[in-house]
Amino acid sequence: MAAPSIASGRCAREVLGLVLLYNIYWAIILVLERQEVVVERCGKFHTLLQAGCHCLVPFIDRPKVFKRDFHRLVNNRLDHVSERTYRVVLKDEVIDTPRLAVITRDNCLVLLDALLSFRVSSSKGMLYSTQNVPDMLSKLLQAQVRNVAGQLDVDQLIESTAASRAASRVSSEMSGIATRWGVQIKFVKFQSVDVGSLHDALARAKNASLNNNALLLKARATRQTSIIDAEGDQVRILREAEGTAAQTLAAAKGNARATVNEARGEAETARVVGSVVFKHGGPGSVTKYLLATKYVEVLREVASCANTTVRFLPRETSLLQTVAGLGLNVIAPRGTAASAP
């Protein structure tokens, strides 16, 4: 009877020792940099452990264990990984989801390869408000991608600019939800867009669009060149008209100035000559001089006319020669001698 009792006591001591070792193992926790551990006391939140070595109260304190389900790329294949841990990693993490089949606005089936980056901002909030953060984020990403892709056409989805805007929209919509989970969304990217058999048709449509844009740009350039040439011609014509007007105005001013100067010169000449004539010939001599000057000018104009003959006659016989030239008879008064040409 003594031997079985000794064996049973030994087993009890071994079990007790294992239990003590297990609790001591859980009582000493080494937290690495950029990690946190949530500690519960009697099933309730107690404290949050930062980087360093910490000792817990055995049988009372326990680290909060949680589950993580995610996909990991192994040998160019996404494998599903499930793990249980009590360490909350505060580094940026990436979720690579399998290809998502989405329907675009124009009813085309497209396969999207989306990538999500996130970081835990609140360990307590994440553990007590979610059950499996990577899996929840993956499901939320699929829903948001299908929602946004369903509002775009297939040609917009394969365009890099539109795809970037769509990914940014997915990221902003997910951020509002993930913030309540203690998670910060860093970015959402589309790694690839597979349109299947629509690739050739979209390529032809893109080439046609590029050709149309090239023709449109060429037409705009030609139109702009025509406008610039027309504006240049208009400016040139305006400058020529302004130059002609300025030349005409200058010529008119010059002629007017010459006429004025000529008139002033004639007036000055008439004044000087008139003063000299008045001085030597008396009061009536000035008028006679002016009349004689005008007679000479008129005679010059008459002599310059075509088919005109000018003869200068003596004053004494001018009347008789004129009458005889007209074919008239001259009857001389008594006491005078009549003469014929």
Side-chain angles (χ1 to χ4, degrees), residues 1-313:
M1 297 293 295
S5 61
I6 294 173
S8 61
R10 185 181 298 172
C11 289
R13 286 193 300 270
E14 291 177 357
V15 171
L16 182 60
L18 291 176
V19 172
L20 289 176
L21 289 175
Y22 177 78
N23 284 276
I24 291 173
Y25 171 78
W26 282 105
I28 301 175
I29 296 179
L30 180 63
V31 182
L32 302 179
E33 191 66 34
R34 301 292 295 171
Q35 290 184 355
E36 288 181 348
V37 176
V38 175
V39 177
E40 293 181 337
R41 174 167 293 179
C42 299
K44 296 177 63 177
F45 174 78
H46 174 59
T47 186
L48 186 64
L49 303 182
Q50 306 289 338
C53 185
H54 304 273
C55 294
L56 306 181
V57 179
F59 303 104
I60 297 177
D61 295 341
R62 285 288 184 272
K64 176 70 173 177
V65 180
F66 59 94
K67 182 181 179 183
R68 288 167 50 91
D69 290 333
F70 55 92
H71 290 85
R72 179 178 296 169
L73 185 62
V74 179
N75 296 327
N76 294 328
R77 186 183 62 183
L78 286 177
D79 292 340
H80 183 267
V81 179
S82 180
E83 64 180 14
R84 296 180 63 86
T85 182
Y86 60 88
R87 300 177 183 274
V88 180
V89 180
L90 302 181
K91 300 178 182 178
D92 292 348
E93 298 186 64
V94 175
I95 296 179
D96 193 357
T97 61
R99 285 192 171 186
L100 306 177
V102 299
I103 302 298
T104 60
R105 184 171 57 184
D106 49 357
N107 295 325
C108 294
L109 180 62
V110 178
L111 297 179
L112 290 179
D113 191 0
L115 189 69
L116 168 66
S117 176
F118 71 97
R119 182 175 64 86
V120 177
S121 58
S122 174
S123 301
K124 180 181 177 182
M126 183 198 71
L127 294 179
Y128 288 101
S129 61
T130 62
Q131 185 67 29
N132 191 336
V133 169
D135 187 60
M136 294 177 63
L137 290 176
S138 178
K139 296 295 190 295
L140 181 62
L141 175 63
Q142 296 178 27
Q144 293 297 334
V145 167
R146 288 192 175 97
N147 181 32
V148 173
Q151 301 176 9
L152 299 175
D153 294 334
V154 63
D155 54 346
Q156 294 177 337
L157 196 58
I158 63 176
E159 186 181 355
S160 59
T161 304
S164 299
R165 288 198 298 265
S168 300
R169 181 180 172 185
V170 172
S171 177
S172 62
E173 291 180 357
M174 290 186 62
S175 297
I177 301 175
T179 303
R180 301 195 299 266
W181 299 344
V183 177
Q184 179 185 1
I185 302 297
K186 304 298 291 185
F187 63 81
V188 175
K189 299 293 183 181
F190 294 155
Q191 298 186 89
S192 63
V193 180
D194 187 5
V195 295
S197 60
L198 297 176
H199 184 271
D200 295 337
L202 292 175
R204 289 193 297 269
K206 185 176 181 179
N207 292 332
S209 178
L210 292 176
N211 293 333
N212 292 336
N213 292 335
L215 292 176
L216 182 60
L217 291 176
K218 184 177 180 180
R220 288 179 178 176
T222 303
R223 178 174 176 271
Q224 190 67 22
T225 303
S226 301
I227 292 175
I228 293 174
D229 293 341
E231 290 178 352
D233 293 339
Q234 182 180 1
V235 172
R236 179 179 56 78
I237 294 173
L238 182 61
R239 293 289 184 269
E240 290 179 356
E242 290 177 352
T244 303
Q247 183 179 0
T248 304
L249 181 61
K253 288 182 179 180
N255 294 333
R257 204 174 287 116
T259 303
V260 171
N261 292 335
E262 184 179 358
R264 287 177 180 176
E266 291 181 356
E268 183 65 19
T269 301
R271 185 184 66 79
V272 173
V273 173
S275 62
V276 173
V277 172
F278 179 78
K279 181 179 180 180
H280 295 281
S285 60
V286 176
T287 303
K288 292 180 180 180
Y289 171 75
L290 294 175
L291 290 175
T293 303
K294 293 297 180 183
Y295 287 156
V296 172
E297 292 178 358
V298 172
L299 183 60
R300 184 184 299 112
E301 294 179 359
V302 171
S304 62
C305 295
N307 300 324
T308 303
T309 301
V310 179
R311 293 180 181 180
F312 295 96
L313 303 175

Side-chain angles (χ1 to χ4, degrees), residues 331-339:
I331 301 176
R334 182 177 298 177
T336 62
S339 60

